[in-house]
Amino acid sequence: MSEQFAEVIVDVPSMQTNQPYTYAIPTEWIGQVFPGMRVIVPFGKRKILGFTTKILSKRPGVSFKIKEIEEVLDLTPVLNTEMLEMASWLAKWTFSFKISCLQVMLPAAMRASYNKTIKLTSTDVSEEVKQLFDEQNEVKFDSKELSADVFKKLSKLSREKKAEVIYQVHDRARTKKVTVIKSLLNTQEVQKQKELLRVNADKLRLLLDFLGKIGSQILTQKDAIKKTGLSAAVFTQGEKKGWLKKEKVEKYRDPYRDAEIKRTKPKQLKAAQQKAVERIDHSIVQQQDKVFLLQGVTGSGKTEVYLYTIACALKNKQTALMLVPEISLTPQMVRRVKSRFGSNVAVLHSGLSEGEKYDEWRRIERNDATVVVGARSAVFAPLENIGIIIMDEEHETSYKQEDMPEYNARDVAIKRGSWHHCPVVLGSATPSLESRARAQKGVYEWLRLDERINGQPLPEVQLIDMRQELKRAPAVDISTPLLDAIKQRLEQKEQVVLMLNRRGYSSFIMCRECGFVLKCPNCDISLTLHMDSHSMKCHYCGHEEPIPRTCPSCQSKKIRYYGTGTEKVEQELQQLLPETKILRMDVDTTRRKGAHAKLLRQFGNKEADILLGTQMIAKGLDFPDVTLVGVLNADTSLSLPNFRSAERTFQLLTQVSGRAGRADKLGQVVIQTFNPKHYAIQLAKKQNYEKFFGIEMNMRHRGGYPPYFFTTQIVTSGPNEADVAKKMFEIDGQLKQVLSSQAVILGPTPKPIMRINNQFYYQLVIKYKKEPELDAFLEDLLLNSQKEARQKLKLKIDRDPIDFI
Ligand SMILES: Nc1ncnc2c1ncn2[C@@H]1O[C@H](COP(=O)(O)OP(=O)(O)OP(=O)(O)O)[C@@H](O)[C@H]1O
Ligand SMILES: [Zn+2]
Ligand SMILES: [Zn+2]
């Protein structure tokens, strides 16, 4: 082997290309570099990161001097052939740069430049090898500093899985500690100390009162400060006086990791479940890359079907991948999987720190975890020999990534299924129209679970016409029938779930004199009122300012807030039902790590009577004592200017209704709406998916929307509106040359929220059936888009966009 070269996809911001560059492999690394390894290469004056995609043993016929690879970042490939091919496909399919497709497959920890060490993981090595490592069995990994000989040895060890490269992720979460406070005084001592205080020592008196109240309870200093309004300094003073003790304790990290999980046995399947399991298991054993649509009403035991098929794959000595929407990746769901498969399970979700995600990734890579449960990006989990891929709630929009690469995990899952020759199961009570239509055509095999496990009918749904209610009592959020139903359930010691549909909806401030609405200075959107932080915030750019007391426009004092925020409803409810314990679950109360899990645990332990929340409570919850579900405003998702708004509304109402009456008690659902006659609401009331599917397909056919037509959206953005508009019309003109007369272009138009963070957004949408030239045109458009970098114009091409707004 005299010479070797590598094709490298490089990461050059604002000069992206999908063509690889060729670099020479320095002699000392010849035979050690493989496709799927990361390298540092010279590029112009810079040193940049790249992925090797191909190794050549012949010098390419070029006249210029081929530069050498500077550094090798991996001992063995971090992406295998499957993933390298996936990246090429993904780049084309999603009109993305190859480099972003390669990057998205790796955990974030591996994208940063951390220090790396090589750890010896086996004792079955020669003395000579052992001497390379220190007492901790580690050696610093820097390919430039290691001699060729040592590099070769380490590389071999890594291939034999006797050593691995480890990133020293400086993870604050790893060692995160919090200060807690313990009182050292009993009640009498508190009293005594109070008598000794000077008259004007108000703060210390407050502190003593507080210590008297908490008794033996341990609180975090943060909570104590919040509760008392005292500063940390006062607590330090108290500590010096020997009244209290401060201690640093490790903060609770992964809500799932340490929990003792009891193993459970599979349940005896019902006939319909049995049939579904048999069909899927057959495909696993026969290694068929088939797609199944498992359409099962809420509470019909879909999850149990998933668990059985996972067991089948494991028995077949294969691995399993189960995708769930981020929001339903609840401790409840994780526990169900872990209780069946124990430590074989790796969980990937956004609540993990970078380091934790990386740990889970490595467990999968080492084949220590054979079952992966995770949200969207887990679809790239480095599993080998996959036997089954499951996607729960397949209709969920969170499976689509909004940033480049704008992939839909469903497409990637199906692609992986065909690579691994394994079945893919798409499960839902309310499948997306696209999937349901494919099942109709026989592209997917259609499996159905039409009955609830408990044999109970689906809960009775009652619609409340809010137009009538508001005539009686304006400005209430909870109608009399709903309130009565809540009271009755509470009397029976049952639990209630209330949902506030908040999509595109929030509480804002308006002046009753002049109609002034407080808007974000950077975006075309009104600011949202946040009672907990006592401020106005922009949900798009994060701008925050104090709540105005007078109208900034007319100085009137009649400035009030409008809209039904969860906080406002909580207050209203608490006034109506003073004795009731209410838990509120929304973005504000779940921002802190583990908060989501904690709220659910509290509700599950019956520490509260009512769980009030946004969309986040609609999915996956399985609490036996919940017998009433109330929806406060069914319509907000209906009024969005979006062809999917009826579908979204139907899905949401069906999902949330499904939370009621899951055990032996019959459930009840009350939906408040301003559009009681709308078909999405009427059919959600009847929980008739099939009828809804029929009507909605008809609407889509008439409007020329998916699944009858394909759609692709192009968005341009930039700081100068005229430049953005000009570019968009230019693209429109070019498209008209390329497209056939069958295709339709909507736009170009400004986006409904035209300005976000001082960037202007224009869009157009192409609707089409068959356009053989379109993909190539769009790919060129993407690659050429960087020429506009001077005008700071950005381009985004989105195939099968979720929304057009
Ligand atoms: N064969 C069975 N025998 C007894 N109980 C079962 C069986 N299958 C499932 N269950 C139980 O029935 C309840 C509902 O099942 P599961 O959560 O799997 O339904 P699902 O269709 O996934 O629900 P959803 O889509 O509403 O979240 C669960 O508590 C589950 O443990
Ligand atoms: Zn803003
Ligand atoms: Zn005013």
Side-chain angles (χ1 to χ4, degrees), residues 483-623:
L483 187 63
D484 289 344
I486 296 175
K487 283 181 184 157
Q488 197 196 339
R489 295 298 168 176
L490 296 183
E491 260 163 41
Q492 294 170 13
K493 300 263 172 291
E494 291 163 4
Q495 288 180 298
V496 177
V497 167
L498 293 179
M499 185 184 75
L500 188 70
N501 187 358
R502 250 171 61 122
R503 198 178 288 255
Y505 197 71
S506 55
S507 35
F508 57 98
I509 281 203
M510 188 164 100
C511 171
R512 291 199 184 189
E513 291 289 342
C514 75
F516 174 86
V517 172
L518 193 60
K519 286 199 164 165
C520 174
N522 311 319
C523 313
D524 285 340
I525 193 146
S526 45
L527 294 175
T528 304
L529 179 71
H530 283 257
M531 285 313 283
D532 49 359
S533 56
H534 291 283
S535 63
M536 305 294 298
K537 284 184 201 162
C538 172
H539 284 187
Y540 285 84
C541 75
H543 171 85
E544 189 170 352
E545 58 181 79
I547 304 170
R549 305 204 164 181
T550 54
C551 170
S553 166
C554 76
Q555 273 71 49
S556 152
K557 284 207 167 67
K558 288 197 177 157
I559 184 154
R560 299 282 143 79
Y561 67 85
Y562 277 77
T564 320
T566 33
E567 285 181 276
K568 182 169 164 248
V569 174
E570 186 187 14
Q571 283 171 11
E572 189 179 321
L573 260 179
Q574 201 68 75
Q575 262 166 23
L576 292 165
L577 307 163
E579 307 283 284
T580 309
K581 181 108 178 46
I582 303 165
L583 287 176
R584 173 163 67 96
M585 191 150 111
D586 56 24
V587 277
D588 294 321
T589 62
T590 54
R591 193 166 294 132
R592 286 193 25 216
K593 212 171 152 187
H596 184 228
K598 191 171 157 210
L599 286 171
L600 291 178
R601 198 165 50 233
Q602 286 174 323
F603 193 62
N605 293 340
K606 297 201 77 172
E607 288 166 36
D609 313 299
I610 299 180
L611 178 65
L612 164 70
T614 50
Q615 271 86 333
M616 40 0 264
I617 60 173
K619 286 167 200 108
L621 305 187
D622 189 22
F623 293 118

